[in-house]
Amino acid sequence: MKHLIESQQFNQKSINKIFALADKLEKKTDKSLKGKIMASLFYEPSTRTRFSFESAMLRLGGSVITTENAKEFSSAAKGETLEDSIRVINNYVDVIVLRHYEQGASQRASVVSDVPVINAGDGPGQHPTQALLDLYTIKRELNKIDGIQIALVGDLKHGRTIRSLSYLLGKYKNIKIYFVSPLGLGVGTDIKEYLDKHKISYYETDLLEEIISKIDVLYQTRIQKERFKDEQEYLKFKGCYQIDLSLVSRMKAKSIIMHPLPRIDEILMEVDSSPKSVYFKQAKYGLLVRMALLKMLIKKH
Ligand code: CP
C-alpha cells in the first residue's frame, strides 16, 4: 500500500495488521517517525480527522505542517490546481493527508505524488480511515466483526463514512446490514452491487423502529447539510431520525451506538451517558488507528 485512497484496497489480513499495530501503540511509546513531516491539507472543515492525524504524527515523534482551509489559505485561492499543489508539497513532506470537497480528489493527487497520499474524505466519495477506525471500534467493543447485524442510519446518499464502512464490512462473514434512510436519501447502487457481489445480506427500510431490537450496532449519521443544493431541501430531512433513551431501551443488551461525528440533532444528549454509547470512544480509537496507518505508510516510503 503506497497511497490510502479507498476501502476496497484492504483485505482482512491487512486490516488485522493495522489493528494489531493500533493495539500495540496504545500500550507502548513509539517515536519512530522522528525527522518525518506530515502535511495536513484540508479544503473542507474538520475537527476529528485533522486533529487526530496531527496528534498521531506528533505522538510518533514526527512533525506537522498544516493548512486548515486550503480553499482560501493555499494558492488554490489564486487558481493553482490540486495536482500542482501536490507536486510542490512533495518537496517538503513525507506524507500528505488530504481532505477535499471533490469526489476522486485523493485519487488525482496520488497520481502525481511520490509521497503517500491519505484520503481524509473526498466530497461524498470515501473516508477510508474513518471506516477503519469504525471497524476497530466494533472489534474493541464487541470483540468480533463476523456475524454482526448493523444498522447504517441517516443520509446514506451523501455519507462518505457509510460508503467506506459498507465496503469494509463486505470483507467479513455473516454480516447483515440494515440501511435505514428517508425516501430520497437511500444508499447508492454502487454499494449494493458490491455487497451483492460479496454475498453480504442487506435490507433497506425507512423505519428504524422496525429493526432496532435486532441489531448489534446502531451506526447513526447526520444529514449532510453541505451536500444539498438548497437549505429548504435539507430542512425536509433534518431531524428525521432522533435516537432517544426510549429507543435505546429497545436495543439488545450488548449492542452499541456509534456515530462518526459531528452530531447535530440525531442523537439526543440524554443518550450520551448510556453504556451503549461509544461515539466519543470511537473518536479516541481513531487516534490509534491513524498512528498505525502513518507508521505503516511512512515506513514503507
Ligand atoms: N468524522 C469526521 O470525519 O469528523 P471531522 O469532519 O470532524 O473530521
Side-chain angles (χ1 to χ4, degrees):
M1 177 174 64
K2 176 164 181 189
H3 304 286
L4 200 175
I5 307 299
E6 58 180 20
S7 289
Q8 295 93 310
Q9 283 175 248
F10 297 96
N11 55 33
Q12 274 202 39
K13 196 174 162 201
S14 56
I15 293 168
N16 288 343
K17 213 168 141 191
I18 295 162
F19 290 179
L21 184 55
D23 288 345
K24 209 165 134 190
L25 289 167
E26 186 176 32
K27 295 181 191 107
K28 199 167 161 270
T29 303
D30 182 324
K31 299 286 178 193
S32 58
L33 296 189
K34 191 168 185 298
K36 302 288 185 185
I37 303 175
M38 180 188 93
S40 49
L41 183 59
F42 277 57
Y43 292 79
E44 270 194 338
S46 168
T47 299
R48 278 144 292 275
T49 312
R50 188 165 71 88
F51 279 141
S52 63
F53 262 117
E54 293 184 358
S55 173
M57 190 64 182
L58 295 171
R59 282 167 193 266
L60 289 166
S63 308
V64 173
I65 56 174
T66 182
T67 175
E68 67 186 58
N69 181 359
K71 208 171 171 179
E72 207 177 317
F73 297 141
S74 78
S75 282
K78 302 173 205 161
E80 184 169 67
T81 63
L82 174 66
E83 283 83 353
D84 280 0
S85 296
I86 296 292
R87 281 189 188 101
V88 171
I89 296 166
N90 256 256
N91 296 310
Y92 313 141
V93 301
D94 302 285
V95 63
I96 298 171
V97 179
L98 174 67
R99 170 167 290 189
H100 202 277
Y101 48 88
E102 277 176 17
Q103 187 163 356
S106 292
Q107 173 60 33
R108 277 171 48 211
S110 71
V111 172
V112 296
S113 185
D114 287 331
V115 302
V117 171
I118 299 177
N119 180 2
D122 60 334
Q126 286 221 21
H127 195 353
T129 68
Q130 176 71 45
L132 287 165
L133 79 87
D134 292 340
L135 212 56
Y136 184 67
T137 302
I138 293 170
K139 186 163 180 285
R140 289 283 301 252
E141 294 298 314
L142 296 180
N143 212 21
K144 63 172 185 178
I145 300 171
D146 285 331
I148 61 158
Q149 301 210 27
I150 179 168
L152 304 178
V153 184
D155 182 352
L156 308 186
K157 180 180 173 186
H158 303 111
R160 58 194 174 199
T161 65
I162 291 289
R163 167 167 286 103
S164 290
L165 183 56
S166 298
Y167 280 124
L168 281 193
L169 288 168
K171 300 179 186 301
Y172 289 83
K173 288 195 192 81
N174 302 322
I175 301 286
K176 171 94 184 191
I177 304 179
Y178 297 96
F179 291 116
V180 183
S181 63
L183 202 66
L185 295 185
V187 70
T189 48
D190 58 329
I191 296 173
K192 289 191 272 186
E193 282 168 9
Y194 178 88
L195 296 175
D196 286 338
K197 195 172 144 199
H198 289 81
K199 301 193 173 13
I200 298 289
S201 168
Y202 62 86
Y203 176 78
E204 291 183 89
T205 179
D206 59 349
L207 296 173
L208 181 54
E209 292 78 5
E210 188 189 359
I211 52 96
I212 194 76
S213 61
K214 298 179 185 176
I215 53 176
D216 304 295
V217 181
L218 170 56
Y219 189 97
Q220 176 68 308
T221 64
R222 74 188 165 93
I223 305 297
Q224 307 263 306
K225 185 179 181 183
E226 66 277 26
R227 310 278 175 230
F228 286 84
K229 285 204 175 78
D230 66 76
E231 176 134 11
Q232 285 313 309
E233 190 63 15
Y234 162 70
L235 290 173
K236 274 200 247 167
F237 296 106
K238 186 179 181 296
C240 60
Y241 299 110
Q242 289 191 321
I243 312 299
D244 59 15
L245 278 177
S246 151
L247 196 67
V248 172
S249 71
R250 293 166 55 193
M251 293 176 68
K252 282 184 193 172
K254 289 208 169 140
S255 57
I256 56 173
I257 304 164
M258 297 173 60
H259 193 311
L261 304 176
R263 150 178 69 178
I264 311 303
D265 56 3
E266 59 282 350
I267 298 179
L268 299 194
M269 279 203 260
E270 66 181 23
V271 177
D272 293 357
S273 55
S274 164
K276 296 185 188 310
S277 299
V278 300
Y279 28 92
F280 292 116
K281 245 178 168 179
Q282 188 181 343
K284 192 172 153 197
Y285 289 141
L287 177 68
L288 300 174
V289 170
R290 287 174 173 139
M291 283 173 81
L293 291 170
L294 287 174
K295 193 169 154 63
M296 289 165 100
L297 280 160
I298 294 176
K299 202 173 118 191
K300 281 194 176 158
H301 175 60

